[in-house]
Amino acid sequence: MYTHSNKIAVRYLRILTSIAEMAENGELVSDLSHSAVRACVLAMQADEAEPIDVYHIFGDGLREKYQEVPAAREKYRAVLESAFTHMVFMLLQEEFVDRGHFPQTASGENSANAAVELTK
């Protein structure tokens, strides 16, 4: 489908896990994760990925990483959760402004509820 977009997502997932490691080690990461998410979303869109495809390609990767990490690594998980929420915000904002509707998730629910999915 979007072979290059998949590679972009993998690259930025590596960046985000590095940022999460830094946070877990007590380093101040500020908004680095949001910057990485923004760069990833924009790069995927430049590759002509639609917002719903970005949600599934990049968002599913974030969700998998989040679920792999033990709950005891709170700061690490917080970075991934924040990144996921920021991605959803960016995609919702674009969909709302550009198309006047919200994308549907694979399960058919409105993606305004998508941020909750990360922790399930």
Side-chain angles (χ1 to χ4, degrees):
M1 186 166 156
Y2 297 102
T3 305
H4 190 63
S5 288
N6 286 326
K7 291 178 183 177
I8 292 167
V10 167
R11 189 176 324 128
Y12 280 96
L13 285 169
R14 284 189 201 126
I15 292 169
L16 284 166
T17 57
S18 294
I19 294 168
E21 276 297 333
M22 292 167 55
E24 188 67 26
N25 292 330
E27 296 180 49
L28 181 61
V29 295
S30 187
D31 63 348
L32 285 175
S33 65
H34 288 189
S35 296
V37 167
R38 179 173 171 72
C40 181
V41 170
L42 293 175
M44 291 178 73
Q45 288 175 334
D47 188 47
E48 299 181 359
E50 294 293 322
I52 194 67
D53 298 318
V54 173
Y55 175 81
H56 287 294
I57 295 168
F58 187 50
D60 288 351
L62 279 168
R63 190 178 299 111
E64 287 174 25
K65 294 287 183 190
Y66 182 87
Q67 292 171 347
E68 291 172 2
V69 178
R73 299 189 72 194
E74 293 175 12
K75 292 178 183 177
Y76 190 106
R77 290 175 63 125
V79 168
L80 296 180
E81 186 173 357
S82 176
F84 185 87
T85 304
H86 189 63
M87 178 205 63
V88 170
F89 171 77
M90 285 185 66
L91 296 175
L92 284 174
Q93 182 180 22
E94 177 181 323
E95 283 295 305
F96 183 76
V97 171
D98 291 349
R99 298 192 179 131
H101 69 280
F102 294 99
Q104 298 295 309
T105 63
S107 63
E109 67 184 13
N110 187 300
S111 60
N113 299 323
V116 175
E117 290 180 17
L118 181 65
T119 59
K120 289 185 178 179

